[in-house]
Amino acid sequence: MTAVWRPRGLPTSRPSGWAVWLFVAFFLVNLAALILSVVVNSFGTKWFGGWLPQGFTGAWYSDAWAEFALGDVLTATLEITLIVVALSLVIGVPAGYALARRDFPGRRTVTVLLLLPVVLPPITYGIPLATVLYKVHLAGTMTGVVAANLVPALPFVVLVMTPFVEQIDANVESAARMCGARTRQVFARVLVPLLLPGILAAGILVLVRTVAMFELTFLVADADSQTLVVALYSAAFTPGIRAAQAIDAMAVIYMALSAVLLVIALMFVNPTQIVAQVREAPAE
């Protein structure tokens, strides 16, 4: 009996398979059209009808840079993001080690509590958190924005690093201690090199997450401590007369920044490997 050749990657002849592929294609086409319309409008002079604007110019980007002070906004975004990443790694890596190596009462409860800021919508705990930061006079400052972003970032690093630590044989640490290495030397010279892929993965993912974090930053930031995504929201929805092309230019800058960070993340991080490592982590 002759086998029927079927192009690789195409769905089966079942109607449900074709329906799924058509839905995915419809979604991707609409998403691409939406992004393309924003990009085209950011270069257009006037666009009241037709498929394309009446003319094209790059002046809207310089206008957006000056009107929305994007230089200061990008600097604040970079500072906040790097501080959040650094603090998350400095605190989260040792915490992940302790959670992986130490067996103590309430370990499962601690894991669940760490999981809550990661899986819950940020707005659910963002409002009480912002209230506390306003009471202690940290809201509206760079410190307050960093503290708010650490709430989901730190547990994320701990949860990512715990499976990486569990995959390292504890006998390696014991051998280093038998050779005279102290705890700090074991951690710095033995564990950190072995954990470097996990540290890199956690740091890049926190970097992307912090740049895209809107709710927590919006609740506690002011004009001098807002990130790019909050500045974009303020430009689009704060009362006032602003050119739509300038706002779209700002949106394109944000999309370009997010795309670059995503490409960098995918160069160093394989999401399927992280998921597999979490699933293969030994149970309590």
Side-chain angles (χ1 to χ4, degrees), residues 131-173:
T131 303
V132 173
L133 291 176
Y134 273 101
K135 288 183 177 180
V136 297
H137 306 291
L138 287 179
T141 66
M142 193 78 72
T143 303
V145 176
V146 170
N149 281 274
L150 275 175
V151 173
L154 182 56
F156 184 79
V157 171
V158 175
L159 293 173
V160 170
M161 291 306 304
T162 300
F164 280 94
V165 176
E166 291 174 336
Q167 289 183 345
I168 298 176
D169 192 348
N171 292 326
V172 176
E173 303 171 48

Side-chain angles (χ1 to χ4, degrees), residues 238-283:
T238 300
I241 300 176
R242 300 177 182 86
Q245 294 92 332
I247 296 176
D248 285 344
M250 189 176 180
V252 172
I253 294 175
Y254 174 69
M255 286 190 295
L257 176 62
S258 300
V260 169
L261 292 177
L262 180 61
V263 170
I264 294 174
L266 293 178
M267 288 174 58
F268 294 96
V269 180
N270 188 342
T272 57
Q273 290 181 353
I274 294 179
V275 174
Q277 287 166 343
V278 173
R279 289 180 176 178
E280 293 173 2

Side-chain angles (χ1 to χ4, degrees), residues 6 9-25:
R6 185 184 301 277
L10 289 180
T12 62
S13 58
R14 293 180 299 176
S16 59
W18 284 106
V20 171
W21 280 97
L22 288 175
F23 176 79
V24 172

Side-chain angles (χ1 to χ4, degrees), residues 161-225:
M161 291 306 304
T162 300
F164 280 94
V165 176
E166 291 174 336
Q167 289 183 345
I168 298 176
D169 192 348
N171 292 326
V172 176
E173 303 171 48
S174 301
R177 289 191 175 91
M178 290 179 61
C179 293
R182 298 180 179 179
T183 301
R184 183 179 300 178
Q185 293 174 322
V186 171
F187 193 81
R189 297 185 180 182
V190 178
L191 288 178
V192 169
L194 294 176
L195 292 174
L196 191 58
I199 295 173
L200 184 62
I204 293 177
L205 292 175
V206 169
L207 176 71
V208 176
R209 182 185 179 92
T210 305
V211 170
M213 176 59 69
F214 170 75
E215 296 92 337
L216 298 180
T217 306
F218 175 75
L219 290 172
V220 299
D222 64 359
D224 296 327
S225 58

